[in-house]
Amino acid sequence: MTRSIIHWSPMRDLDQFFDESGAWGRGFAPAVDIRQDKDNLIADFQLPNIDLEKVSITIENDVLTVSGSSEEQHEVKREDYYRREISRGEFSRSIILPMKVEGGKAEASYEKGILTVTLPKSEEVKPKRIAIAMKK
């Protein structure tokens, strides 16, 4: 069974990103790219300057969730900012996977601000080669 990929829209549920003062709230959802090769589904999450000790990756009911937190590197008073766009605080992103995967064999790596989660496709969804029987 395959499912279509749900496209992420940063405008969806925009109000959840604002706190009561109209400033950016604490939570954010990292951007993600999802691709596939012959054997794997691969998800790349954009997580620059993240302490990997504070990141959790789970797979449950064909949903991949990456969550954690990002903290201030140094203390700066709010009034000293001219512009503040870097997302900090708690983050979480859940993706409905477009096909069945073998979650127990998933692997994760982190390089240059990108968390890559590699999920082996379930044998039942991998392409099968069918031999053609020749009749004589």
Side-chain angles (χ1 to χ4, degrees):
M1 172 174 80
T2 60
R3 298 182 189 101
S4 62
I5 295 175
I6 298 171
H7 295 284
W8 177 67
S9 170
M11 300 308 288
R12 185 182 302 138
D13 299 324
L14 186 62
D15 57 343
Q16 76 180 4
F17 292 105
F18 290 97
D19 63 19
E20 18 343 296
S21 68
W24 284 107
R26 301 198 127 252
F28 67 96
V32 64
D33 289 340
I34 299 178
R35 55 194 162 88
Q36 68 177 333
D37 62 20
K38 187 179 108 195
D39 297 319
N40 303 294
L41 192 64
I42 302 151
D44 295 319
F45 292 85
Q46 189 175 33
L47 294 173
N49 299 319
I50 297 293
D51 179 2
L52 296 179
E53 300 278 325
K54 297 180 181 180
V55 175
S56 170
I57 304 168
T58 60
I59 302 167
E60 185 175 352
N61 297 324
D62 297 325
V63 175
L64 169 65
T65 301
V66 174
S67 58
S69 64
S70 169
E71 297 175 1
E72 288 280 347
Q73 299 292 330
H74 49 280
E75 186 68 31
V76 178
K77 290 185 240 170
R78 185 176 185 143
E79 60 270 11
D80 289 339
Y81 281 97
Y82 286 107
R83 184 174 211 88
R84 187 167 183 180
E85 296 180 353
I86 297 174
S87 299
R88 293 178 182 87
E90 301 292 319
F91 64 86
S92 183
R93 187 72 191 271
S94 293
I95 306 296
I96 298 171
L97 300 173
M99 64 193 63
K100 288 209 170 283
V101 297
E102 296 184 28
K105 295 181 181 177
E107 296 179 356
S109 62
Y110 184 81
E111 183 178 358
K112 297 181 180 177
I114 302 293
L115 173 68
T116 299
V117 181
T118 303
L119 306 148
K121 292 178 184 177
S122 175
E123 289 298 322
E124 66 191 56
V125 299
K126 286 185 184 178
K128 310 281 189 287
R129 184 170 185 109
I130 301 170
I132 301 172
M134 299 292 286
K135 292 187 178 184
K136 295 182 183 185

